[in-house]
Amino acid sequence: MPATQPRRTPTAPTTPAASPAPTVPSAIRTLPSWLLGRAAARGRALVADALAAEGMKMWHHVVLAAVADLGPVAQADLGRGIQLDPKDLVGVLNDLQGAGLVERTPDPEDRRKNAVTLTADGRALLRRCATAARAANADLLGPLSAAEREAFLDMLERVARVDG
């Protein structure tokens, strides 16, 4: 007669206990580069959320704003101007054109190129997105007084300047 095995009851899989979030060393937390990175990440998140409320993604907003500034603009010049890979730009432009926000037509100067322009719907959405982005940036700088904001932005522009 075979020996009987003890009856095993299935148990729920165990999950490891949540470990505390790693602490950033104080020597790192005080570096301007660390603080700027944290502030930038917070700012990007605030703006991304504000744009999402308008049904937009960050790169879609960047492209719309660049087309507003440069348009009509050759597609290749647009990509170089905003430093977006041409394949990625095509995807963004396809989305924007599909939504009726931009038009791509043959460039009158060079029929081999596409010229990108905003539609009336694109201009209207860009205005709403600009308002939403300004509000998100106001939230970001909320802890600062008006004078501190002005001084901070002046200093930030000087620090961010890469051309000297």
Side-chain angles (χ1 to χ4, degrees), residues 4-129:
T4 58
Q5 293 287 325
R7 188 169 174 187
R8 292 191 171 165
T9 57
T11 58
T14 59
T15 56
S19 59
T23 303
V24 177
S26 60
I28 301 297
R29 286 192 314 260
T30 59
L31 292 174
S33 55
W34 171 262
L35 294 168
L36 284 169
R38 298 279 298 176
R42 182 168 176 262
R44 276 190 303 277
L46 289 169
V47 171
D49 288 347
L51 294 175
E54 293 294 336
M56 291 292 289
K57 295 179 181 173
M58 194 75 80
W59 273 111
H60 291 75
H61 180 241
V62 169
V63 170
L64 278 183
V67 172
D69 287 348
L70 305 170
V73 59
Q75 188 171 313
D77 294 338
L78 175 62
R80 280 190 294 276
I82 60 174
Q83 299 177 343
L84 184 60
D85 182 89
K87 290 176 282 201
D88 295 330
L89 178 61
V90 167
V92 171
L93 286 172
N94 287 344
D95 293 344
L96 295 173
Q97 187 171 14
L101 303 172
V102 298
E103 291 179 338
R104 286 184 280 192
T105 57
D107 188 325
E109 310 259 329
D110 184 346
R111 308 293 279 173
R112 297 169 296 171
K113 297 179 181 179
N114 281 325
V116 184
T117 56
L118 287 181
T119 65
D121 287 346
R123 279 189 293 282
L125 179 58
L126 185 58
R127 281 191 297 275
R128 291 193 311 273
C129 287

